[in-house]
């Protein structure tokens, strides 16, 4: 079921209008997701949190539902209106972002961040599928890279707007204002974006040749019911394990109706997600490229999400900046570096892919190998200046050098988004793209967000007895190893992608 205008010819100008609206939605997606990073120092102070507890708030609270709910929502997006699903998702995550501003305890804020994850689960995979149906294959790398501009734009806006609002009016106002922005955008998305015909820009023979991947696997009703029951039982176990984790880490009472409600919902979602994942996995399981791309992107995201979430706190502790100064400083780094890196990554990969499909994963692999040492160099700008100027130069010189260096790895860190997401779109036929993307995002986000954000907080607490206020610096150093692992996996994908490619 799609919109009635779905089959109408698409004008080039309208195609780019749709991309612009989707970028704006994605921008709010990351604004609401990442605003917690710039507000971290205030939240840690307000609720008396350790770095590990804040890592849970920024990671598992969001990723636990974001990752699992993405699959059933993407399954629906492959069958019903993607625009309706994205509109509902935008409304939900924006509403819960606003609710974060009225949280009275760490436990309430934890649950509201879960609500943000529920909404954002339906915001990305359907957008990938829409873009693939609006842009032909030879333009998808650049189009998806353009869509990925929402990441640095959202991160920069979240850092700048969230930080300035928090500095002037408090962190609660920051959450409420950015949440209301999303609620205002939802009607524009629904009323002006059409859901196009699926596979409209693909080669006709590709859909026919891969028709076996386009239809759900036939399953007898009795077998389906039994399988779903088994998955829900597994989901119940996972749900109660999540409840125990909430009780241990977040201090939420197991008897709290809200917590029990979350456990039941999470159990059902996990059960349904596993059933859907099995159908999708049957199409991608034999393809080594899918797992190499997914695990490679996930390894980079452990560091990418973690560093993005913790750098504002690092700047306060190690660079002695105020919240207002960080808002302008880090927003500039993300905006300049992120937009350049994403666009160049998509453009270079599209051009090199004319010689071989392996260029899509190989381009970001090289970027990650360069990123790791540059991040470390940027964090040690006083030492670098000290090699030339006695005493390490002035604070302004140190900050200027750090800013210029940080731009480069920040861009390289995001260069994978266009090439890798474009490659994933070509591993299955058009009718399964949303769900395949959601399975990719499930792997990427469970490791990237849940593990990444938590890892740096946990490692910082672990190193604190030895390094004190500089423990976060050393925690970030250790995380650079994930970039090296990502590069290794993506180099492997560059060798298998041609075989698994679907035109």
């Amino acid at each position: 079921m799609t919109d009635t205008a779905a089959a109408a010819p698409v004008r080039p100008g309208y195609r780019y209008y749709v991309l612009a609206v989707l970028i704006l939605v994605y921008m709010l997606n990351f604004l609401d997701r990442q605003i917690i990073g710039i507000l971290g120092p205030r939240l840690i102070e307000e609720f008396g949190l350790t770095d590990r507890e804040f890592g849970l708030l920024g990671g598992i609270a969001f990723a636990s539902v974001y990752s699992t709910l993405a699959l059933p929502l993407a399954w629906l997006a492959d069958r019903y209106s993607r625009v309706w699903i994205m509109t509902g998702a935008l409304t939900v995550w924006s509403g819960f972002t606003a609710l974060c501003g009225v949280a009275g305890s760490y436990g309430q804020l934890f649950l509201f961040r879960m609500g943000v994850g529920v909404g954002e689960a339906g915001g990305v995979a359907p957008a990938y599928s829409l873009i693939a149906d609006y842009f032909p294959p030879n333009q998808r790398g650049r189009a998806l890279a353009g869509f990925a501009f929402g990441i640095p734009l959202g991160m920069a806006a979240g850092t700048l707007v969230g930080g300035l609002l928090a500095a002037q009016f408090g962190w609660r106002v920051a959450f409420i204002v950015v949440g209301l922005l999303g609620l205002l955008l939802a009607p524009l998305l629904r009323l002006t974006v059409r859901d196009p015909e699926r596979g409209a820009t693909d080669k006709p023979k590709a859909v026919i040749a891969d028709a076996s991947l386009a239809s759900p696997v036939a399953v007898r009703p009795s077998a389906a019911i039994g399988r779903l029951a088994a998955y829900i039982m597994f989901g119940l176990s996972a749900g109660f394990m999540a409840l125990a984790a909430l009780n241990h880490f977040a201090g939420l009472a197991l008897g709290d109706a809200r917590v029990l409600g979350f456990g039941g919902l999470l159990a059902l979602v996990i059960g349904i997600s596993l059933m859907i994942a099995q159908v999708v996995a049957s199409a991608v399981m034999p393809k080594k490229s899918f797992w190499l791309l997914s695990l490679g992107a996930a390894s980079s995201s452990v560091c990418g999400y973690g560093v993005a979430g913790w750098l504002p706190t690092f700047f306060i502790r190690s660079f002695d900046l105020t919240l207002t100064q960080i808002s302008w400083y880090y927003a500039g780094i993300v905006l300049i570096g992120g937009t350049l890196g994403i666009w160049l990554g998509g453009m270079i990969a599209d051009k090199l892919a004319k010689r071989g499909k392996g260029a899509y994963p190989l381009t970001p692999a090289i970027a990650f190998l360069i990123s790791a040492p540059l991040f470390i160099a940027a964090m040690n700008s006083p030492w670098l200046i000290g090699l030339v100027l006695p005493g390490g130069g002035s604070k302004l010189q140190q900050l200027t050098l750090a800013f210029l260096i940080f731009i480069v790895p920040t861009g390289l860190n995001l260069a994978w988004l266009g090439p890798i997401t474009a490659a994933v779109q070509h591993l299955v036929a058009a009718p399964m793209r949303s769900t395949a993307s959601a399975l990719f995002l499930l792997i990427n986000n469970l490791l990237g967000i849940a593990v990444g954000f938590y890892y740096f907080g946990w490692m910082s607490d672990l190193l604190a007895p030895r390094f004190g206020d500089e423990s976060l610096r050393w925690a970030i150093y250790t995380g650079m190893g994930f970039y090296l692992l990502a590069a290794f996996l993506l180099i492997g994908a560059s060798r298998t992608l041609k075989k698994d490619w679907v035109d």
Side-chain angles (χ1 to χ4, degrees), residues 39-51 53-54 57 106 109 166 171 313 316-317 323:
L39 301 182
R42 295 294 174 89
L43 296 174
I44 290 172
E45 180 182 358
E46 173 88 9
F47 297 111
L49 307 179
T50 64
D51 285 354
E53 288 171 331
F54 180 66
L57 185 64
Y106 174 61
L109 187 57
W171 63 268
T313 304
I316 287 179
R317 295 180 184 177
L323 185 59

Side-chain angles (χ1 to χ4, degrees), residues 404-430:
L404 294 174
I405 300 176
F406 265 124
I407 286 175
V408 180
T410 298
L412 295 174
N413 168 49
L414 296 174
W416 70 270
L417 289 158
I420 299 303
T421 53
V424 170
Q425 298 299 300
H426 285 279
L427 293 178
V428 295

Side-chain angles (χ1 to χ4, degrees), residues 1 87 112 166 174 197 206 274 294 330 348 378 394 436 442 445 493:
M1 180 186 301
T87 303
F112 290 152
E197 180 184 355
L274 287 171
S294 299
Y330 189 44
I348 292 172
S394 67
L442 172 67
N445 292 318

Side-chain angles (χ1 to χ4, degrees), residues 380-393:
N380 289 277
S381 60
W383 176 79
L384 290 175
I385 291 182
L387 296 176
V388 180
L389 299 176

Side-chain angles (χ1 to χ4, degrees), residues 33 59-74 113-114 116-122 125 266 269-270 272-274 276-277 305 435 437-451:
R33 185 187 309 186
I60 293 175
F62 175 89
S64 59
V65 286
Y66 173 75
S67 301
T68 53
L69 194 58
L71 270 173
L73 288 177
R113 287 299 295 175
M114 284 182 165
V116 175
V118 169
E120 293 198 9
L266 183 61
V269 167
I270 291 174
I272 296 173
S273 296
L274 287 171
I276 295 170
Y305 281 118
T435 319
S437 294
L439 185 57
F440 165 80
L441 291 171
L442 172 67
I443 298 168
N444 183 57
N445 292 318
L446 274 179
L447 290 175
I449 302 177
V451 175

Side-chain angles (χ1 to χ4, degrees), residues 125-360:
Y128 286 164
S129 179
L130 282 171
I131 292 170
D133 285 339
Y134 270 110
F135 290 86
N138 64 334
Q139 297 179 17
R140 281 180 193 156
R142 280 165 286 182
L144 286 164
F147 174 66
F149 279 162
I151 296 178
L153 290 173
M155 291 174 64
T159 300
L160 184 60
V161 176
L164 294 180
L165 284 173
Q168 186 69 28
F169 304 105
W171 63 268
R172 295 182 183 277
V173 172
F175 273 128
I176 293 171
V177 169
V178 299
L180 292 178
L181 288 175
L183 295 176
L184 292 175
L185 179 62
L188 177 69
L189 170 64
R190 177 63 194 95
L191 296 175
T192 66
V193 174
R194 298 195 303 266
D195 208 321
E197 180 184 355
R198 298 175 196 272
T201 58
D202 289 329
K203 298 176 183 179
K205 64 179 182 180
V207 178
I208 295 173
D210 217 23
S212 62
L213 302 182
S215 302
V217 178
V219 181
R220 292 176 305 176
S222 59
I225 294 173
R227 185 178 300 168
L228 179 58
Y231 285 145
I232 289 178
M233 289 299 294
F234 180 84
L236 284 170
S237 301
F240 282 111
M241 289 175 64
L243 288 177
L246 287 174
N247 181 62
H248 179 72
F249 292 118
L252 301 181
L254 291 178
D256 191 314
R258 293 168 300 178
V259 179
L260 290 175
F262 156 73
L265 173 64
L266 183 61
L268 181 61
V269 167
I270 291 174
I272 296 173
S273 296
L274 287 171
M275 188 171 185
I276 295 170
Q278 184 187 37
V279 175
V280 182
S282 67
V284 296
M285 182 75 76
K287 299 188 175 185
K288 293 182 180 179
S289 301
F290 177 83
W291 302 106
L292 290 169
L293 291 171
S294 299
L295 293 174
S299 297
S300 73
S301 293
V302 168
C303 204
Y305 281 118
V307 170
W310 282 101
L311 270 183
T313 304
F314 166 78
F315 288 137
I316 287 179
R317 295 180 184 177
S318 298
F319 279 27
D320 196 28
L321 297 179
T322 66
L323 185 59
T324 300
Q325 290 171 330
I326 294 170
S327 299
W328 289 102
Y329 188 78
Y330 189 44
I333 291 172
V334 172
L335 184 62
I336 298 171
T339 51
L340 285 175
I342 288 173
W343 180 250
L344 288 174
M347 183 182 67
I348 292 172
D350 269 348
K351 289 187 176 181
L352 294 179
K354 294 177 182 178
R355 302 179 181 178
K357 304 302 182 184
Y360 283 111

Side-chain angles (χ1 to χ4, degrees), residues 81-94:
S81 172
R82 291 164 285 191
V83 176
W84 264 114
I85 290 172
M86 288 188 66
T87 303
L90 173 59
T91 302
V92 171
W93 90 58
S94 299

